[in-house]
Amino acid sequence: MLLHAETAGEGSETVVLLHGMAGSAESWWRVTGLLVDRGVRVVALDLPGHGHSPRGSTMTVLDAAASVAETLDTMDIRPTVTIGHSFGGLLLAAAVATGRLDPGLAVSVDAPFTARGGHDRAEVQAEYQAARADRTEERLRAEKPHYGERDRQVEARAASRFDPATAAAIAAGPGGTWMPRPGSIVVRADPSHYVDDATAAALTASGVDVRSIPGAAHSVWYSHFDAFVAALPEVFDR
């Protein structure tokens, strides 16, 4: 599966951005703008079942990870840095662990590295459909006070294009664990639902650089943009 890509900027270095579940390439709008201003080429992908990318009724985590790698290969993209948030971070780790992707510097943002798999497909699809219907600008204004006006517009638009059937196929398929390779960076909210203290300690012991942003939301750059940028000088101060 070839994915839809949004490309911006010019430069000798390329940063690839992978959004989270129910997001889109547009979720990175502020990060993209800053990188372009600093002379970096940015390639943001819509993941399977998101944005303008194809849907897949038999999609698995490894299929989705392979689609990321295949898309970048087809575009002849050799990333300097690849950043994956949440679900995007899981796909990044899986693509690297299976040898499908050489990401340059891999950065995972508040991402799980285990997919349980085996969920009841009809049940989880109904849950995703309900969540999509609730993700309106009005609801986001009430539930995500750290979102700016454009953030709300972007995320509501992403939700309207999100395909619950693709996400349900992934949740119902095989699970697995794919840990970041040594030398990777993990940026987490603190506290984090996905990267708790024990997980952070295990990652650190394995050679992964874990950086915490106290009080940040799951979408760290939405709630704590300046702290997010400051936590990643390897990305933003090139």
Side-chain angles (χ1 to χ4, degrees), residues 21 23 77 111 120 133 160 231:
M21 185 66 74
I77 299 295
D120 181 272
S160 72

Side-chain angles (χ1 to χ4, degrees), residues 47-166:
L47 297 177
H50 294 76
H52 300 290
S53 283
R55 280 59 177 129
S57 60
T58 60
M59 183 67 55
T60 67
V61 170
L62 290 180
D63 291 337
S67 71
V68 170
E70 182 179 358
T71 300
L72 296 178
D73 282 345
T74 300
M75 296 176 68
D76 196 25
I77 299 295
R78 299 294 177 265
T80 309
V81 178
T82 304
I83 303 176
H85 171 241
S86 195
F87 177 58
L90 174 67
L91 298 191
L92 171 58
V96 173
T98 55
R100 295 300 304 267
L101 180 65
D102 183 359
L105 174 62
V107 179
S108 297
V109 182
D110 216 41
F113 302 112
T114 295
R116 191 183 80 187
H119 290 268
D120 181 272
R121 183 167 180 160
E123 182 179 307
V124 75
Q125 183 169 332
E127 292 173 358
Y128 279 130
Q129 287 172 334
R132 181 183 65 177
D134 281 344
R135 205 168 174 83
T136 63
E137 287 186 50
E138 292 75 17
R139 184 63 66 87
L140 290 170
R141 185 174 291 109
E143 296 181 354
K144 307 286 187 181
H146 57 279
Y147 280 18
E149 188 60 31
R150 184 170 176 182
D151 299 333
R152 288 189 287 269
Q153 294 169 357
V154 164
E155 293 306 311
R157 186 159 47 243
S160 72
R161 295 170 177 163
F162 168 63
D163 180 42
T166 301

Side-chain angles (χ1 to χ4, degrees), residues 9-82:
E10 298 179 356
S12 60
E13 299 185 327
T14 300
V15 174
V16 171
L17 302 174
L18 308 175
H19 63 79
M21 185 66 74
S24 73
E26 197 180 6
S27 298
W28 298 104
W29 69 270
R30 196 172 177 190
V31 171
T32 296
L34 180 59
L35 288 169
V36 168
D37 287 346
R38 297 187 177 186
V40 176
R41 183 188 185 200
V42 178
V43 178
L45 301 184
D46 282 336
L47 297 177
H50 294 76
H52 300 290
S53 283
R55 280 59 177 129
S57 60
T58 60
M59 183 67 55
T60 67
V61 170
L62 290 180
D63 291 337
S67 71
V68 170
E70 182 179 358
T71 300
L72 296 178
D73 282 345
T74 300
M75 296 176 68
D76 196 25
I77 299 295
R78 299 294 177 265
T80 309
V81 178
T82 304

